Amino acid sequence: MTIELEPSAQTDGFHLVVDALKLNGIDTIYGVVGIPITDLARLAQAEGIRYIGFRHEQSAGNAAAIAGYLTQKPGICLTVSAPGFLNGMVALANATTNCFPMILISGSSDRAIVDLQQGDYEELDQLNAARPYAKAAFRVNRPEDIGVGIARAIRAAVSGRPGGVYLDLPADVLRSAIDAKTGALSLVRAVDPAPRQLPSPESVGRALDLLASAKRPLVILGKGAAYAQADEAVRAFVEASGAPFVPMSMAKGLLSDNHPQSAAAARSFVLGQADVVVLIGARLNWLLGHGKAPQWSPTARFIQLDISPTEIDSNRAIAAPVVGDISSSLAALLAGVEHAQISPRAEWLDAIEAHKRHNAERMAEHLDAKPDPMDFYSALRAVRDVLADNPDVYVVNEGANTLDFGRNIIDMHTPRKRLDSGTWGVMGIGMGYAIGAAVTSGGRVVAIEGDSAFGFSGMEIETICRYKLPVVIIVFNNGGVYRGDDVNRGQGTDTAPTVLMKSAHYEKLIEAFGGTGHYVTDAVGLTGALAEALASGKPALINCVIDPATGTESGHLKKLNPQSALAHAT
């Protein structure tokens, strides 16, 4: 007599990936489908995970990265193998550099063929390609390890200093079937993946003693302070210290730009004159002149709050390192700040106020002018005035001059509402960040784009329209990279290297996908178009035509752009 056994239920790698993501609270995936991950996207959507499909993997990765920054959960980007993976790598590297938690999940080709370089479809050793650009990189070689792989990727992305993580999923692992019970038992929920890291009491006492000795103290707020979401603690510490503060661009809004202690309008002066500087989630990288003269006083002493001990002394000796997470470090400092008797000198505060008034008067002259055609000042003033009536709006900003002027003119009053090119200063983040912010928050977004920067990710306006996202794009169109009035110094008829199409009608692009386009040539038209677009809550693009001669080469970064003495000879 033969006994027939009932077959056990089966699952496969596709289902295990989705189950593991759901178990860990992942509710959104950004990506571009294709071999071998199309069915993974379909299944995720069927199981309740929102899938946002893009036109290019770099933008999908940027959306995932900014979602991670806004939520403190890793944003997930899903790509195909080889070329798609490489496209996503730009965003992965940018996320790692900016300390945004993100996981790039890519399908890959058969390991046995790849390792022997036998020419498989889209053959590439993706794991080793990713390692230099990621905080961590993992490959799953068995379906029963998918749960562990995803849990480790999540923990790596958000613990300590956040960053980009790569997770490689070979096609044969995705399609492999295993016993469903075995698969369910293999799943892992990452418990407390970003645990608090308390600073040592000695480091806190040392920092408070140094701050108490300051005559000209200064607080620098960095992107890390904004990411920490310790907003009330930041405010309490700054106000208790009485010290002036300067926010880095993505930290704007932690305290309102019109806060009386803000020294942003006297930035160069305070950086050069401060004797004790408190860095809160800010790094002494190129954005802060590496902490060295002439931007900084050679006798200034630094207190640095950072979660990574290896960041300390990276460019300049740090007299009082406070290593721990921002929330815990600020709580410890606040517990002792009242007894530290911190008292900035009156002449220091008076000098700052004098510089702020002087610089504000100079800025007002530019903003009050009415040039025809518009320049960056007049156009951004119109944008600023409309945004002042819409404080809930997220502002995405990229370009050269568009970024530099926008950072100085657009005031921010709430945290994590300004999203820009960040640590690398890289172009092409605009549409990805705008989509990530809109999807994550459900709120309205204004992307202020240079015409060159917009070109890197402009096709994503179709994505914006497809998902009916409340994103308004303003393209500052001066017909060029930096500016549009350069000339060909050779004998041919080609345009100069920095010149774009002067007559471009960018607004027509969004109209092709069902959005609303606006073409404006003056501040009044820009004000009306932006107010109308925001009120509609629908996708819109404003082609803002400004003077081709406005702007400077490399924006404010001229010193980083070596130029031949003959380059501009006529």
Side-chain angles (χ1 to χ4, degrees), residues 395-446:
V395 175
V396 175
N397 193 193
E398 66 170 335
N401 294 281
T402 307
L403 173 66
D404 293 333
F405 285 105
R407 179 173 54 239
N408 294 334
I409 295 171
I410 304 296
D411 294 327
M412 305 304 298
H413 305 291
T414 52
R416 292 171 297 282
K417 289 293 179 68
R418 178 180 170 81
L419 313 172
D420 65 28
S421 301
T423 306
W424 256 1
V426 65
M427 299 299 105
I429 54 89
M431 298 302 98
Y433 281 15
I435 293 168
V439 169
T440 299
S441 69
R444 299 178 297 173
V445 180
V446 170

Side-chain angles (χ1 to χ4, degrees), residues 381-391 526-528 530-532 534:
R381 172 174 179 163
V383 174
R384 182 199 68 179
D385 291 349
V386 174
L387 291 179
D389 296 328
N390 296 273
L526 177 54
T527 298
L530 180 54
E532 177 186 330
L534 283 173

Side-chain angles (χ1 to χ4, degrees), residues 137 170 374 491:
M374 284 186 290
Q491 301 300 314

Side-chain angles (χ1 to χ4, degrees), residues 3 34 44 69 94 166 200 225 249 283 304 339 468 511:
I3 300 176
Y69 168 74
N94 191 51
Y166 175 62
S200 70
S249 62
R283 292 177 279 180
Q304 184 167 11
H339 305 291
K468 299 179 175 60
E511 291 174 359

